[in-house]
């Protein structure tokens, strides 16, 4: 039975949306920083009757309990998510990671490979933030922690989250307006995870540990995670499939759902047999 509610996981409460079919293979969807599990809403109807879709919000984000730490690390989030999989009893599960969700996913597979049957990464990488970019983002976070994102800062963030082609498309304006409004309303309790993403360490050395079938999307307008970063992930995971997207930025499943969703579901279906 489908549900959306809070679940006690380790020392926090995570909000989890779950289509709830116990007889279907499970897909865990891990969202981008600044967004939440609802970014995968369009996946639900496409996967109906084929997969159980589980969409948790990370600690301190979405409808999950506020973070109490100054910085929420990617390792902490990975431990949360692996513990959630144990609680739900859905292993082995397929894993989709978008942006920060991919940062967490790589750590999850490296530490608990037995929990997973396949992996899809989009808008993500295994690198830490380069020093110059880290300084820039830290300044942005320090500047907005008390006031939130608005004006030029919100415009800057939207240009990072969505590609130029998408931002110019008339049919994408409703989606952009939705997420722009959501980002503009983010509470201060989300900032610890933002600092955690900026402070993340490289896990390039973890890539050879990942042995499940893997699909990596590489988007040509992704300014946050350039194509060479996603190619590095594809090259670092044995047998990984690299899928290039043109005219797409940092959020492929929102910018090109008509391409990404069917390709992702078909890849997972083939991976798990």
């Amino acid at each position: 039975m489908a549900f959306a509610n809070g679940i006690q996981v380790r020392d926090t409460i995570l909000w989890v949306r779950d289509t709830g079919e116990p007889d279907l293979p499970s897909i865990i969807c891990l969202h981008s920083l600044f967004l939440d599990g609802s970014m995968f809403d369009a996946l639900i109807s496409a996967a109906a009757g084929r997969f159980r879709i589980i969409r948790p919000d990370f600690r301190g984000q979405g409808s999950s309990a506020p973070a109490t730490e100054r910085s929420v690390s990617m390792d902490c989030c990975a431990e949360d998510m692996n513990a959630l999989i144990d609680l739900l009893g859905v292993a082995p599960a397929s894993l989709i990671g978008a942006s920060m969700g991919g940062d967490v996913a790589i750590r999850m597979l490296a530490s608990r490979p037995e929990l997973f049957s396949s992996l899809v990464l989009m808008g993500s990488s295994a690198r830490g933030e380069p020093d110059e970019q880290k300084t820039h983002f830290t300044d942005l976070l320090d500047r907005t922690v008390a006031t939130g994102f608005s004006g030029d800062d919100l415009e800057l963030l939207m240009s990072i989250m969505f590609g130029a082609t998408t931002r110019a498309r008339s049919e994408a304006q409703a989606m952009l307006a939705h997420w722009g409004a959501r980002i503009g309303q983010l509470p201060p309790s989300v900032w610890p995870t933002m600092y955690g993403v900026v402070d993340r360490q490289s896990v390039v050395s973890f890539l050879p540990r990942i042995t499940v079938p893997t699909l990596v999307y590489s988007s040509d307008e992704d300014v946050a995670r350039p194509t060479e970063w996603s190619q590095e992930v594809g090259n670092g995971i044995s047998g990984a499939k690299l899928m290039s997207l043109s005219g797409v930025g940092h959020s492929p499943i929102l910018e090109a759902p008509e391409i990404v969703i069917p390709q992702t579901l078909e890849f997972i279906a083939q991976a798990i047999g």
Side-chain angles (χ1 to χ4, degrees):
M1 181 179 295
F3 70 85
N5 59 27
I7 297 178
Q8 177 79 46
V9 178
R10 303 204 308 140
D11 62 342
T12 192
I13 304 291
L14 299 180
W15 186 258
V16 181
R17 301 168 181 87
D18 186 348
T19 57
E21 306 93 337
D23 58 333
L24 295 180
S26 295
I27 301 177
I28 312 294
C29 302
L30 303 182
H31 64 83
S32 300
L33 182 66
F34 310 115
L35 311 186
D36 59 38
S38 68
M39 71 176 291
F40 298 101
D41 279 356
L43 197 63
I44 303 304
S45 59
R50 301 174 65 192
F51 298 101
R52 175 179 177 179
I53 305 297
I54 301 169
R55 298 167 294 151
D57 291 346
F58 285 119
R59 172 188 296 248
Q61 297 188 68
S63 296
S64 291
T68 57
E69 310 91 327
R70 181 195 176 278
S71 178
V72 176
S73 72
M74 300 302 93
D75 291 329
C76 175
C77 292
E79 291 170 8
D80 287 347
M81 292 300 149
N82 282 344
L84 175 64
I85 291 172
D86 286 335
L87 284 171
L88 295 177
V90 294
S94 295
L95 192 58
I96 299 175
S99 186
M100 171 193 167
D103 301 337
V104 175
I106 291 170
R107 290 162 170 81
M108 292 168 67
L109 273 100
S111 62
R112 297 284 306 279
E114 75 280 3
L115 296 181
F116 305 102
S117 55
S118 67
L119 172 65
V120 178
L121 298 173
M122 50 186 72
S124 196
S125 75
R127 295 189 186 188
E129 205 70 56
D131 288 341
E132 182 178 350
Q133 201 159 291
K134 181 175 180 179
T135 299
H136 176 73
F137 282 133
T138 300
D139 289 344
L140 175 63
L141 298 181
D142 290 345
R143 184 170 67 247
T144 57
V145 65
T147 60
F149 293 104
S150 62
D152 290 343
D153 289 329
L154 179 57
E155 283 297 311
L156 172 62
L157 190 53
M158 291 295 287
S159 72
I160 293 171
M161 296 299 294
F162 301 97
T165 298
T166 297
R167 298 197 313 275
R169 285 169 43 219
S170 59
E171 60 270 32
Q173 296 311 302
M175 180 273 291
L176 294 169
H178 168 79
W179 287 111
R182 293 287 293 273
I183 292 170
Q185 296 169 358
L186 290 174
S189 58
V190 179
W191 263 251
T193 310
M194 297 184 196
Y195 284 110
V197 170
V198 172
D199 290 337
R200 73 188 184 281
Q201 300 299 306
S202 171
V203 287
V204 171
S205 64
F206 289 6
L207 297 177
R209 301 188 203 175
I210 298 175
T211 58
V212 299
T214 299
L215 172 62
V216 180
Y217 287 102
S218 178
S219 303
D220 67 346
E221 294 184 7
D222 190 344
V223 297
R225 306 291 174 87
T227 55
E228 59 266 27
W229 293 20
S230 51
Q231 290 166 357
E232 177 181 57
V233 174
N235 292 334
I237 299 174
S238 179
K241 180 179 180 181
L242 189 67
M243 179 68 64
S244 297
L245 298 171
S246 179
V248 176
H250 190 54
S251 306
I253 200 165
L254 296 174
E255 298 182 59
E258 71 285 356
I259 297 172
V260 171
I261 289 175
Q263 286 186 344
T264 295
L265 293 178
E266 183 58 27
F267 175 82
I268 293 174
Q270 291 183 5
I272 66 177

